[in-house]
Amino acid sequence: MIVGIGSDLCNIDRVQASLDRFGDRFTDRVFTPTERAKADKRPFTRAGTYAKRFAAKEAFSKAVGTGFRQGVFMRDIGVVNLPSGAPTLALTGGAKARLDAMTPPGHAVDIHLTMTDDHPFAQAFVILFARPIRERQTP
């Protein structure tokens, strides 16, 4: 069952302006070390890489219904890739606590994330899907 949906649209030029104005102060405050490493490997699309991840953080905060309040911080939400290459979110701190609190008993939540960018915009969608945890059958 779907327990949360969020989307966000982010202006890449706005992210570039923040990078130009605040530099590492901006990236260190908003992005995880993994996200910063990925963006640094893409010098020609660095702002777009950050903008997609910014949109993903915003979309998650909408999916859990808090925005960036109630202990949910941007750095607690990190975009990572599954072994297949598909993006998903790694959560820590207040973001993980909020998701855990809204997870129905006997369920686990799968985070589905899609991101795209086409200058001047970046977009992300998050779907939180609760699936029943199957108990192991004893022989």
Side-chain angles (χ1 to χ4, degrees), residues 1 4 10 17-18 33 40 48 68-69 87 137:
M1 84 179 94
C10 182
S18 292
D40 289 343
F68 293 105
R69 297 183 314 264
Q137 300 290 328

Coordinates of all heavy atoms in Angstrom, one line a residue, residues 1 4 10 17-18 33 40 48 68-69 87 137:
M1 N 0.8 -1.2 0.0 CA 0.0 0.0 0.0 C 0.9 1.2 0.0 O 2.0 1.2 0.6 CB -0.9 0.0 1.2 CG -0.3 0.5 2.5 SD -1.4 0.5 3.9 CE -1.0 -1.0 4.6
G4 N 2.9 7.2 1.2 CA 3.3 8.6 1.0 C 3.7 8.8 -0.5 O 4.3 7.9 -1.1
C10 N 12.8 21.7 -9.2 CA 13.8 22.6 -8.7 C 14.5 23.3 -9.9 O 14.7 22.7 -10.9 CB 14.9 21.7 -8.0 SG 16.2 22.7 -7.3
A17 N 23.3 29.3 -8.5 CA 23.5 30.6 -7.8 C 23.9 30.3 -6.3 O 24.8 31.1 -5.8 CB 22.3 31.5 -7.8
S18 N 23.3 29.4 -5.7 CA 23.7 29.0 -4.3 C 25.1 28.4 -4.3 O 25.9 28.7 -3.4 CB 22.7 28.0 -3.7 OG 21.5 28.6 -3.6
P33 N 28.2 13.3 2.0 CA 29.4 13.1 1.3 C 29.3 12.3 0.0 O 30.0 12.6 -1.0 CB 30.3 12.4 2.4 CG 29.7 12.8 3.7 CD 28.2 12.9 3.4
D40 N 30.9 16.1 -7.8 CA 32.2 16.5 -8.1 C 32.8 15.7 -9.3 O 33.7 16.3 -10.0 CB 33.1 16.4 -6.9 CG 32.8 17.4 -5.9 OD1 32.1 18.4 -6.2 OD2 33.3 17.2 -4.7
G48 N 23.1 20.6 -12.1 CA 22.0 19.7 -12.4 C 22.0 18.5 -11.5 O 20.9 18.0 -11.0
F68 N 10.5 20.2 6.1 CA 11.8 20.1 6.9 C 11.5 20.7 8.3 O 12.0 21.7 8.7 CB 12.9 20.8 6.2 CG 13.3 20.1 4.9 CD1 12.9 20.6 3.7 CD2 14.0 18.9 5.0 CE1 13.2 19.8 2.5 CE2 14.3 18.2 3.9 CZ 13.9 18.6 2.6
R69 N 10.6 20.0 9.0 CA 10.3 20.3 10.4 C 10.3 18.9 11.1 O 10.5 17.9 10.5 CB 8.9 20.9 10.4 CG 8.8 22.3 9.8 CD 7.4 22.9 9.9 NE 6.3 21.9 9.7 CZ 5.7 21.7 8.6 NH1 6.0 22.5 7.5 NH2 4.7 20.8 8.4
P87 N 18.1 4.8 -8.5 CA 18.3 5.7 -7.4 C 17.2 5.3 -6.3 O 16.1 4.9 -6.5 CB 18.0 7.0 -7.9 CG 17.0 6.8 -9.0 CD 17.4 5.5 -9.6
Q137 N 8.4 -19.5 7.6 CA 7.7 -20.7 7.9 C 8.7 -21.7 8.5 O 9.7 -21.9 7.9 CB 7.0 -21.3 6.7 CG 6.0 -20.4 6.0 CD 4.8 -20.2 6.8 OE1 4.4 -21.1 7.5 NE2 4.2 -19.1 6.8

